């Protein structure tokens, strides 16, 4: 599993290029940007809640700040993900999970044979769970964060538009047992579309892996183009 959130934290740790760029841009106008020094001697870590309040929201100023932050963090995250993907391939992994909150927005969906979206149908459940996980968030902070990441139900539709086996949605409105059943259901579909013998073929025949990767990338570009065209046509009818 390659977790984009974990990598995003690693690439902005004190001493990294990402950290220095964030401090240089936001430090003067965000007094509480840095936390006290830690015992590990690495320096002052970023105050992520303070940075979140600075960039999450729907105003033009916050959108501009968010674009700056994304321009610092996303390239570093992307390069580290590529490195880990190569390592997984050389290790003979049957499958690699890219856990990316902004998968479509970052364009990383073009690398994926199958996209899985975990969604909730009720926005109130989404807000409640976010505040339970991050207790420091106010209701406004939580709403701004959810809005900045896009409508999860719209992402579910986009995922399903990829077609059978290439886009699956896990609905997570219920409890853990229901979620487990949903995951088992969709994983059976995923595994049928990518048997282990195919993974071994891709490992043992690198040129085949290259062609398969290029075909997946091209196919996903076309899917995204069709989705954007459908969106434009829908808006034109309004």
């Amino acid at each position: 599993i390659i977790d984009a959130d974990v990598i995003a934290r690693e690439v902005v740790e004190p001493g990294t290029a990402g950290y220095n760029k964030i401090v240089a841009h936001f430090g003067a106008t965000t007094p509480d940007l840095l936390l006290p020094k830690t015992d590990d001697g690495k320096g002052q870590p970023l105050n992520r809640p303070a940075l979140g309040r600075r960039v999450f929201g729907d105003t033009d100023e916050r959108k501009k700040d968010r674009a700056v932050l994304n321009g610092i963090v996303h390239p570093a995250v992307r390069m580290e993900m590529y490195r880990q993907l190569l390592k997984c391939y050389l290790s003979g992994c049957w499958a690699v999970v890219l856990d990316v909150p902004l998968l479509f927005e970052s364009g990383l969906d073009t690398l994926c044979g199958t996209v899985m979206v975990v969604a909730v149908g009720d926005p109130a459940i989404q807000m409640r769970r976010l505040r339970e996980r991050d207790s420091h968030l106010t209701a406004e902070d939580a709403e701004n964060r959810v809005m900045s990441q896009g409508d999860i139900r719209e992402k579910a539709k986009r995922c399903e538009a990829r077609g059978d086996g290439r886009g699956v949605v896990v609905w997570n409105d219920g409890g853990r047992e229901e979620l487990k059943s949903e995951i088992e259901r969709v994983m059976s579909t995923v595994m049928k579309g990518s048997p282990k013998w195919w993974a071994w073929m891709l490992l043992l025949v690198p040129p085949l892996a290259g062609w398969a990767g290029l075909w997946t990338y091209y196919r996903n570009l076309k899917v995204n183009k069709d989705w954007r065209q459908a969106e434009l046509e829908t808006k034109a009818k309004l």
Side-chain angles (χ1 to χ4, degrees):
I1 297 175
I2 300 176
D3 191 327
D5 277 346
V6 172
I7 297 175
R9 290 175 180 271
E10 293 174 348
V11 299
V12 295
E13 288 182 348
T16 62
Y19 174 90
N20 294 334
K21 290 178 182 178
I22 290 173
V23 172
H25 184 84
F26 294 101
T29 53
T30 312
D32 55 348
L33 179 64
L34 301 179
L35 295 171
K37 289 185 178 180
T38 56
D39 295 333
D40 57 16
K42 290 184 178 180
Q44 294 180 266
L46 294 173
N47 183 346
R48 299 181 70 85
L51 185 59
R53 288 191 294 272
R54 176 71 185 268
V55 302
F56 289 121
D58 204 35
T59 65
D60 290 340
E61 183 179 0
R62 289 190 176 182
K63 287 180 179 178
K64 182 178 179 181
D65 286 338
R66 188 160 65 247
V68 171
L69 180 63
N70 289 342
I72 295 171
V73 176
H74 286 184
V77 171
R78 190 181 292 265
M79 288 304 299
E80 176 59 20
M81 292 183 77
Y82 290 157
R83 188 190 70 80
Q84 292 189 25
L85 276 170
L86 179 60
K87 181 180 178 181
C88 289
Y89 169 70
L90 295 176
S91 300
C93 295
W94 165 73
V96 180
V97 176
L98 301 183
D99 188 351
V100 186
L102 298 176
L103 183 73
F104 293 118
E105 293 83 350
S106 64
L108 287 169
D109 62 300
T110 55
L111 303 178
C112 301
T114 300
V115 169
M116 179 187 298
V117 170
V118 181
V120 292
D122 185 352
I125 295 177
Q126 185 180 7
M127 292 287 292
R128 174 172 57 80
R129 288 177 177 171
L130 176 59
R131 295 192 68 191
E132 287 175 353
R133 188 194 70 184
D134 298 337
S135 57
H136 63 274
L137 295 178
T138 65
E140 182 182 2
D141 290 339
E143 184 176 0
N144 286 337
R145 186 160 298 195
V146 169
M147 288 176 60
S148 69
Q149 293 186 348
D151 188 344
I152 190 64
R153 287 150 293 278
E154 191 66 18
K155 292 183 180 183
K157 292 180 182 178
R158 182 169 180 175
C159 178
E160 291 176 332
R162 291 170 59 92
D164 291 341
R166 299 200 300 269
V168 292
V169 177
V170 175
W171 292 103
N172 187 25
D173 291 83
R176 290 182 179 273
E177 288 303 315
E178 293 172 82
L179 176 60
K180 182 179 178 181
S181 297
E182 271 286 284
I183 292 175
E184 290 175 349
R185 177 184 64 81
V186 299
M187 282 307 299
S188 65
T189 301
V190 172
M191 293 179 73
K192 287 178 182 177
S194 183
K196 289 187 177 181
W197 65 263
W198 176 243
W200 279 108
M201 285 286 291
L202 297 179
L203 176 64
L204 297 174
V205 188
L208 178 62
W211 280 109
L214 287 173
W215 168 246
T216 296
Y217 182 72
Y218 168 77
R219 183 181 62 190
N220 289 337
L221 285 178
K222 186 177 185 307
V223 168
N224 288 346
K225 181 180 178 181
D226 292 344
W227 173 262
R228 286 191 291 269
Q229 183 62 36
E231 276 192 319
L232 291 174
E233 292 175 358
T234 300
K235 290 179 180 178
K237 294 177 182 178
L238 297 178

